[in-house]
Amino acid sequence: MNKEELKKGGQLERDIHSKVDADHPRDRLNENDRPSLEKVKTLFDQCEDFEHKHFANNGVVIVYLSSIIDDQKLESEIVKPISSINSTKVSDWLQKKDINEGTVLKEIKEKILSGCVAIFFDEKAYFYNVFGAELRGIEKSETETVIVGAHDAFVENAIINLSLIRTRIMSSNLKVIKLRVGEVTKSDVYVLYIDGLADMDMVEDLKKRISDIEIDSVYDTNMLSQIIDESPDSLFPQYYNTELPDVIRSKLVGGKIAVILDGSPVAISAPTNFFEFIQSPDDYNQRWLIGTSLRLLRLVAILITLTFTAAYVAVITFHYEVLPEDILLTLTESRAKVPFPPLIEALLMELTIELLREAGARLPTKVGQTIGIVGGIVIGQAAVEAGFTSNILIIAVASSAIASFVLPSYNMSNAIRIVRFILILLSGFFGFFGIMLGFTFFVIHVTSLTSLKAPYFIPVSPIYVSDWKDIFIRGPYRLLRKRPVQSKTVNPVRNKMKN
């Protein structure tokens, strides 16, 4: 059989399948029609968890998805009452306040998919919520550790997550807008903001971006944020993501907007800036001097993780004259047996560290910790003894790796790690000039980014000195009188505490 015949055969098979799909009764249904039992059965054809029960004593039929309903609730609140009444009393029973009538087929379908039981009687359809799918309980976050403060974290159910926020912000000004994304999954998205604090232009912009999404499914808020990013090809996250309700509360009170996706334990907020990713809830739950010292420590950690290994490569390759004679002699002895140039030596060790990090993250917790500690010690010592690397490089690489763990945000930590590799490559080819060139491009890039059209590097570029008291330091609460400029809030005054 030649290629032309194969092509015709494949086209014929696709035509047959498309014809079969088009002839399926489900495709001929209009979801705006009035609901009926037969139409609902057609919609849920070949769904093994779709069940229906007929009550001979009164003619009532109920249908539901057994995988997402509470069997006990269904039995006690629907099955037993219906079984005990005749057809003349069904209409009165259906007037219960929690039982509602569905007027179109699409509404009944969506209610069944959300855990309701559909009740058919006298050519009308009703629905009642008996949702009871197994849900994960509220637990501590595994990725965001809080030492001082609340320890509860979001779960995969959006309603529970909304309740965690509602109990923290007991105000009618907290508005919740429900949207839907995913042509197949039909995932619920909730946009939260505080009326009177959030900028409504930003709210409308974010709503439009979410509403305009055309994709079959959205699994997680991290995926959602990438779809609505203004610079999707950038390394740096442009929406702040967190599993902690306390963090989202602080963002909302600061005049920002939050987004919750049903099925995801992560919420995002916007607009955000680069400096928010080096902040931690612990900064605000401790004395301001301690919070300031921790924040400055994280800024130093970013410099260490970006420059230590790159500086080693630059010095050994181009600028050994900057070292004191004693250190230069020690370094020369350490590298005497190393067969690789400094760039290759550094890249090999950095890749080894990344492999150990990734292995530790994917393995069970206790095994992963053991692999990271034992693997690092054994491989580092063996590499030095075998002459594949120098002692000083091991110190530089280990210091860079430890410093990268200091950042509270996992997404920002990943971005910084990639930038570190770029700086190492530039230092291997151009020395200190390469490092400065890399930093220049880094600053140009982050200052060009925006989050909901707000500058990403604010309050440094553009400069708003008034916001620096909660960026580079965590100022005392008596000085934190205004909300961040980036949120463009219509009510900038946070409090009126006296000096």
Side-chain angles (χ1 to χ4, degrees), residues 116-275:
C116 291
V117 55
I119 306 168
F120 291 90
F121 177 74
D122 195 21
E123 298 184 353
K124 292 183 179 180
Y126 305 83
F127 56 87
Y128 180 76
N129 186 9
V130 289
F131 179 77
E134 292 294 329
L135 300 173
R136 181 169 66 94
I138 298 174
E139 301 172 348
K140 293 174 61 175
S141 173
E142 295 292 332
T143 57
E144 296 178 76
T145 303
V146 177
I147 301 173
V148 181
H151 290 80
D152 54 345
F154 289 131
V155 295
E156 286 77 8
N157 183 271
I159 301 302
I160 295 177
N161 295 340
L162 285 173
S163 71
L164 291 174
I165 297 175
R166 279 287 185 192
T167 54
R168 285 169 163 82
I169 305 177
M170 301 180 70
S171 169
S172 60
N173 289 330
L174 175 59
K175 307 302 180 183
V176 180
I177 301 171
K178 183 178 179 181
L179 304 173
R180 184 159 286 182
V181 296
E183 297 297 323
V184 176
T185 57
K186 307 291 185 183
S187 303
D188 290 331
V189 179
Y190 298 89
V191 178
L192 290 75
Y193 67 95
I194 296 181
D195 190 22
L197 296 184
D199 179 67
M200 292 310 299
D201 289 337
M202 286 186 173
V203 174
E204 293 301 324
D205 184 16
L206 185 57
K207 285 170 53 182
K208 184 177 185 304
R209 294 186 191 195
I210 296 174
S211 301
D212 290 347
I213 293 175
E214 295 181 358
I215 195 171
D216 57 353
S217 60
V218 178
Y219 310 122
D220 192 83
T221 44
N222 289 300
M223 177 180 177
L224 176 68
S225 65
Q226 294 178 61
I227 296 173
I228 60 178
D229 268 350
E230 293 166 38
S231 302
D233 297 326
S234 174
L235 288 172
F236 299 94
Q238 293 142 55
Y239 289 82
Y240 188 90
N241 64 312
T242 181
E243 294 183 6
L244 303 178
D246 269 3
V247 174
I248 292 299
R249 171 180 59 181
S250 69
K251 303 300 182 188
L252 290 170
V253 172
K256 300 192 176 184
I257 312 163
V259 178
I260 293 175
L261 174 67
D262 193 29
S264 172
V266 177
I268 58 176
S269 69
T272 189
N273 60 64
F274 176 84
F275 301 98

Side-chain angles (χ1 to χ4, degrees), residues 345-408:
E345 176 193 8
L347 289 176
L348 286 174
M349 293 311 301
E350 287 285 356
L351 287 172
T352 302
I353 290 293
E354 293 301 323
L355 289 173
L356 288 172
R357 186 204 302 259
E358 196 66 17
R362 305 303 167 197
L363 291 170
T365 304
K366 293 183 179 179
V367 178
Q369 292 174 352
T370 304
I371 288 292
I373 296 172
V374 175
I377 294 173
V378 172
I379 292 177
Q381 184 176 357
V384 172
E385 291 180 354
F388 280 98
T389 186
S390 66
N391 289 321
I392 297 178
L393 178 62
I394 293 292
I395 296 173
V397 171
S399 300
S400 297
I402 292 172
S404 68
F405 289 123
V406 175
L407 293 178

Side-chain angles (χ1 to χ4, degrees), residues 9 52 130 467 480:
H52 66 279
V130 289
D467 279 3
L480 303 181

